[in-house]
Amino acid sequence: MKRKILENFNWSLWSAVFALVGIGLVNLYSALNVWGEGGMVHLFWHQLIWIGIGLLILVVFVSMDYRFWYKLCWFFYGLSILLLVLVLLVGKDVSGNKSWLELGGFSMQPSEFAKLGLVFVLAKYFSDNPQPMGYGFKELLKPLGLTCVPMFLVLMEKDLGGTLFYPLIFATLAYIARLRKKAVIIFFCIISVVGVAAYQYGLKPYQKERIRVFLNPEADARKGGYHLVQSKIAVGSGQIFGKGYLKGQINKLRYLPDRHTDFIF
């Protein structure tokens, strides 16, 4: 059994993941190495611990038959929806987004589990309902509905960025499953109309401001566009090859906000 697992294991994917983890750790240590803030290096060790936990979970999952998840996909999807509802009721507000759930001192973001739950149910749907000639608009209504449920719940949490992942997951799996040209055209038209309507009537003023600042950060360089302007200065000052490892002044002088998360690059 172990030999069969090793023979069928996707070693190229394993290598890519470990390369990304290694690069991420190197970047994280650099981002945390700031003058006068040596104490933040503890986040680097926290990351190592979580990587170790992730490796143990990986070994367990690889040893399991994938059909186990095929059978439990609806349970996993339903549980993730329940957690998203709980966030709306008793969730923790962080940076204006109500997207965290605290359970016995442990914080979790159910929207991340919901992404995996959506992948499971969409994969099951496309597996159970094959369309050799490609999926038409009518065949995509059910998976689209499954996508909209977690997407709107996350949108209610005011997590605009997180919301965009769900239609992306749907589009990716639908593309892999193969679409008819007519269905692609219909979806493109729907997305265009919904996008314009959502911007005009669905988004709140601060969300619209984020989009405007993203397109022209210099228009409000001291407030809304500050993050983007500083990130451009940081990248531009290093040019192609960078300032050198642990030598980025924009980081060390603390001009970059959230330097070890959103601005890690």
Side-chain angles (χ1 to χ4, degrees):
M1 181 65 180
K2 291 181 179 179
R3 184 177 178 182
K4 187 176 180 181
I5 292 174
L6 292 174
E7 289 175 352
N8 295 324
F9 193 75
N10 193 329
W11 291 104
S12 59
L13 180 61
W14 170 278
S15 302
V17 169
F18 268 80
L20 289 172
V21 169
I23 294 169
L25 283 172
V26 170
N27 282 342
L28 180 63
Y29 187 82
S30 175
L32 293 173
N33 195 299
V34 178
W35 292 324
E37 291 188 16
M40 287 194 70
V41 178
H42 74 278
L43 294 175
F44 176 82
W45 300 110
H46 283 183
Q47 187 73 2
L48 277 178
I49 292 171
W50 281 112
I51 289 172
I53 294 172
L55 280 173
L56 291 175
I57 295 174
L58 173 65
V59 171
V60 173
F61 276 43
V62 168
S63 304
M64 296 170 62
D65 192 322
Y66 73 93
R67 285 168 289 194
F68 172 80
W69 299 107
Y70 179 85
K71 294 176 182 177
L72 288 182
C73 68
W74 284 108
F75 170 79
F76 198 91
Y77 176 80
L79 180 62
S80 65
I81 297 300
L82 177 62
L83 290 174
L84 288 176
V85 173
L86 279 176
V87 168
L88 293 174
L89 298 175
V90 296
K92 180 182 178 182
D93 198 305
V94 178
S95 301
N97 295 342
K98 195 175 183 179
S99 55
W100 290 85
L101 199 62
E102 285 195 342
L103 299 172
F106 176 76
S107 296
M108 61 178 292
Q109 200 169 7
S111 59
E112 298 299 324
F113 291 98
K115 293 172 189 174
L116 192 56
L118 180 61
V119 170
F120 285 167
V121 294
L122 291 184
K124 178 175 172 57
Y125 174 82
F126 289 124
S127 175
D128 292 345
N129 301 276
Q131 296 290 334
M133 301 302 294
Y135 290 84
F137 181 73
K138 187 181 293 185
E139 290 86 15
L140 292 172
L141 288 177
K142 184 175 180 180
L144 182 61
L146 293 170
T147 304
C148 287
V149 175
M151 183 180 74
F152 283 120
L153 287 172
V154 174
L155 185 61
M156 290 172 68
E157 297 172 3
K158 301 179 183 179
D159 186 1
L160 182 61
T163 302
L164 299 177
F165 279 97
Y166 296 92
L168 182 61
I169 290 171
F170 167 78
T172 302
L173 287 177
Y175 173 77
I176 294 172
R178 195 178 174 189
L179 298 173
R180 296 177 195 166
K181 290 183 179 179
K182 187 176 179 180
V184 174
I185 295 171
I186 292 174
F187 271 111
F188 181 79
C189 293
I190 291 174
I191 291 170
S192 300
V193 173
V194 171
V196 173
Y199 181 82
Q200 291 293 333
Y201 308 107
L203 297 184
K204 295 183 178 180
Y206 78 92
Q207 292 173 325
K208 291 181 181 179
E209 182 63 19
R210 283 185 181 180
I211 296 174
R212 284 194 289 266
V213 166
F214 170 74
L215 296 174
N216 186 18
E218 285 78 11
D220 190 14
R222 290 185 177 273
K223 293 182 179 179
Y226 178 82
H227 295 187
L228 280 172
V229 170
Q230 292 301 322
S231 66
K232 288 166 71 175
I233 292 173
V235 174
S237 65
Q239 300 183 43
I240 295 177
F241 298 105
K243 288 285 189 179
Y245 190 59
L246 305 179
K247 295 179 181 179
Q249 288 98 328
I250 302 299
N251 174 42
K252 287 184 174 294
L253 293 172
R254 306 182 219 175
Y255 284 111
L256 276 178
D258 301 317
R259 56 190 172 275
H260 65 288
T261 55
D262 291 5
F263 289 86
I264 188 71
F265 178 74

